[in-house]
Amino acid sequence: MRRESQGFFTKLGNRILWSTAPILTARPVCHLLFIDGASTLRQEISTMHNQVRLQLLGKRVLHELRMLIPLILLMLSCLIPKISRGERTQRYEFFPFSHFPMYSDFDERDYYVYVTDGNDQPIATETVAAVRSTKLKKIFDTELDSIQKKYKKRKDQLSAEQCRPGGDYTVKWLYENASDAAREVFSTGMPLRLYRIYITEEKGELVETPPQLVGEWSPGRKETAQ
Amino acid sequence: MSAAKTFFKPTPFASWELAVMRMLFALVIWDAIPGAMTSVAVPQPTGLALFFPDMVVGFGALFEAVWFKSLLGVVLVIYALGSAAVITTPLLLLVTVFAGTLTNSQGAITHHSQIVSLVLLAQSGCLVYDLIRHRKWRTGLLGQPVDREIQVAYVTQQAVVAAYMVSAYTKLKESGLDWFVNAARFPIQLKKNTRMAYFNELKEHGSDSSFLANLPAQAEALLIASPGLCRIIIGSGLVLEIAVVLALAGRAWAFFFGVAFVLFHSTISKIMGLDFDFNIYILSIFFILPGVSAAVVRWSRATTKRSR
């Protein structure tokens, strides 16, 4: 009983001391109460206060951050493949982790690709082979990653001839991954060709460059070597 | 102040809310599982295909088998009912990861269904951690207590927030604050996408006179004419991505960010023809729905009180 009451009064005293310390140690109050060595006492209490506050803040932040451990781990997992993996953009990806590079940089010019038959008539790749031109562009672009390293140039500085291995591979991939029905359609107008068009902005207008032949392939024909 | 107090606390969802979220998300998973996979090789292996290429290709072939799809259906029903989540969630994660890895190993990366797998990964991690921590094997494996399900819903929100924060980090790392300045070049991307959409079907956008069909062309003209507007519209996306951590500050913040992202994705989707379906579904289920349900409950309580 005695111990309990002591505990209670100690706690109460501490609480009163802590809550009134800033007032008691304030300069005008010390002068008023004629506390000896008030300045030192004030500094000591203030330091203790700050330490306790910092400890409490640290504990609170750590406690709250603990709730966000999944968020932090997921973010790190998404970024680590980019930091640690190989040289090609492709290898930055480790499904389901990604650093989501889409639209992270808006270049002054960009390009698109399309496929034609041997008479240069465009082929609706999604209608015929269920492959969107965005996919073909990504495949071609991945191939350009290794070509640009060979020539030590930026992708947009590569000539159409230098891009040929990438383009040949892309149309070959389209044919080889197509269904039998799609292959039949493709076969009526061989060889398959891949054209590239750049888009730039000039004087407030979007301008397209003339189409460049960057790939050509037909069954039995070898790809251009890189 | 209230946001600071509840910032890192899971929202205390009611059990019926959790059930609705779980069932709707099960439908999303079903939608994310491919019908058939024609790829017979991994010419540009990524992710798990770097280590287990044959297994990834072999797994892809399973999607054509009726028994496999039926089995997946059963697993999804069990998941939707909330039973044995510790078993069903990692299974579904495995299926979506193998399917996504096979798709992404063809040489073209797509982030279409990535968010679904990321959410399943976060859920699986949470469930397994909880099981190991509490060591209540029988109830932990077969049951799904509300407390744990609340935690699962919270890590789901965190997975979505993590994806957007990583996207913001990448943009700022690649381009710095110039990203906002360069956003005025966005019409080039718009034009590129419109042209590529044309070559998909050889059908011109806006060939009919409906408003939606003409939207890309109108947006392109408007954004080229006013780079400032372009920066505001596109830049707002990055601002949302940077601030998205606030979506963990309770129902109201989650609702705000959910609606903002859905509007942003829908706009980009309409004018560029890009697909953000899974992001929209997940935002609607785990961010917007809790806000709506809270409002409905409050309104019904107020109505009952008034009628008394």
Side-chain angles (χ1 to χ4, degrees), chain A residues 159-220:
Chain A
S159 67
E161 202 52 43
Q162 286 167 335
C163 294
R164 276 301 287 268
D168 290 356
Y169 172 79
T170 307
V171 273
K172 183 187 167 204
W173 181 92
L174 174 68
Y175 183 84
E176 288 186 343
N177 283 277
S179 62
D180 291 340
R183 282 187 187 189
E184 250 178 62
V185 175
F186 289 145
S187 302
T188 55
M190 282 292 174
L192 291 176
R193 289 183 181 142
L194 189 77
Y195 281 94
R196 174 175 70 174
I197 292 179
Y198 266 102
I199 306 168
T200 48
E201 194 187 334
E202 282 174 22
K203 295 171 189 170
E205 271 188 31
L206 296 184
V207 182
E208 291 188 38
T209 59
Q212 283 180 317
L213 179 68
V214 286
E216 190 176 285
W217 185 84
S218 56

Side-chain angles (χ1 to χ4, degrees), chain B:
Chain B
M1 193 63 198
S2 64
K5 272 183 186 170
T6 59
F7 198 77
F8 298 140
K9 279 184 191 165
T11 310
F13 294 116
S15 53
W16 68 268
E17 285 178 300
L18 292 164
V20 170
M21 287 197 278
R22 203 173 52 227
M23 285 173 191
L24 289 175
F25 186 56
L27 292 175
V28 174
I29 300 169
W30 181 252
D31 198 19
I33 293 170
M37 303 202 80
T38 51
S39 309
V40 290
V42 282
Q44 303 281 351
T46 59
L48 287 178
L50 287 167
F51 310 107
F52 315 108
D54 295 336
M55 198 190 282
V56 170
V57 172
F59 207 86
L62 282 178
F63 285 94
E64 285 180 49
V66 179
W67 67 265
F68 184 69
K69 295 288 275 185
S70 315
L71 190 69
L72 276 181
V74 173
V75 172
L76 261 175
V77 170
I78 299 171
Y79 173 89
L81 292 173
S83 313
V86 188
I87 301 163
T88 54
T89 315
L91 276 177
L92 294 168
L93 168 70
L94 205 69
V95 171
T96 56
V97 166
F98 271 99
T101 304
L102 184 58
T103 307
N104 275 6
S105 297
Q106 301 305 309
I109 299 291
T110 168
H111 300 98
H112 180 56
S113 65
Q114 201 141 9
I115 194 77
V116 178
S117 297
L118 207 60
V119 164
L120 281 170
L121 175 75
Q123 292 188 348
S124 303
C126 177
L127 289 162
V128 171
Y129 172 74
D130 193 76
L131 182 72
I132 294 168
R133 193 175 160 207
H134 295 296
R135 292 178 189 179
K136 289 178 181 168
W137 302 110
R138 195 198 280 176
T139 50
L141 277 170
L142 300 174
Q144 180 78 312
V146 174
D147 283 357
R148 190 169 70 180
E149 216 171 339
I150 285 174
Q151 203 65 37
V152 168
Y154 193 51
V155 294
T156 301
Q157 288 181 327
Q158 290 193 28
V160 178
V161 167
Y164 284 117
M165 286 178 77
V166 166
S167 173
Y169 169 82
T170 306
K171 287 187 181 86
L172 292 174
K173 192 174 178 293
E174 298 284 322
S175 313
L177 288 176
D178 284 350
W179 190 89
F180 287 100
V181 181
N182 296 341
R185 293 175 188 155
F186 180 70
I188 293 175
Q189 302 298 321
L190 194 54
K191 176 97 179 173
K192 182 188 79 178
N193 278 35
T194 316
R195 297 302 293 149
M196 286 201 290
Y198 166 75
F199 285 108
N200 284 338
E201 297 172 341
L202 294 183
K203 212 167 102 183
E204 200 74 63
H205 262 283
S207 51
D208 58 66
S209 56
S210 73
F211 172 74
L212 283 179
N214 284 314
L215 199 59
Q218 287 170 351
E220 189 186 304
L222 181 71
L223 294 175
I224 292 170
S226 46
L229 181 69
C230 193
R231 285 188 190 109
I232 290 170
I233 294 175
I234 305 305
S236 63
L238 180 55
V239 172
L240 281 175
E241 284 180 344
I242 292 168
V244 70
V245 73
L246 288 173
L248 300 171
R251 286 177 195 259
W253 285 98
F255 178 79
F256 168 77
F257 277 94
V259 170
F261 271 115
V262 165
L263 283 176
F264 185 73
H265 284 319
S266 307
T267 310
I268 295 292
S269 181
K270 282 279 172 285
I271 62 175
M272 292 187 77
L274 298 175
D275 194 349
F276 292 105
D277 286 354
F278 291 117
N279 287 59
I280 291 173
Y281 296 153
I282 290 174
L283 285 164
S284 305
I285 295 168
F286 292 100
F287 288 74
I288 298 177
L289 195 67
V292 174
S293 65
V296 169
V297 168
R298 204 172 294 163
W299 175 78
S300 67
R301 272 185 197 153
T303 321
T304 322
K305 212 180 260 181
R306 242 178 269 150
S307 63
R308 275 177 192 169

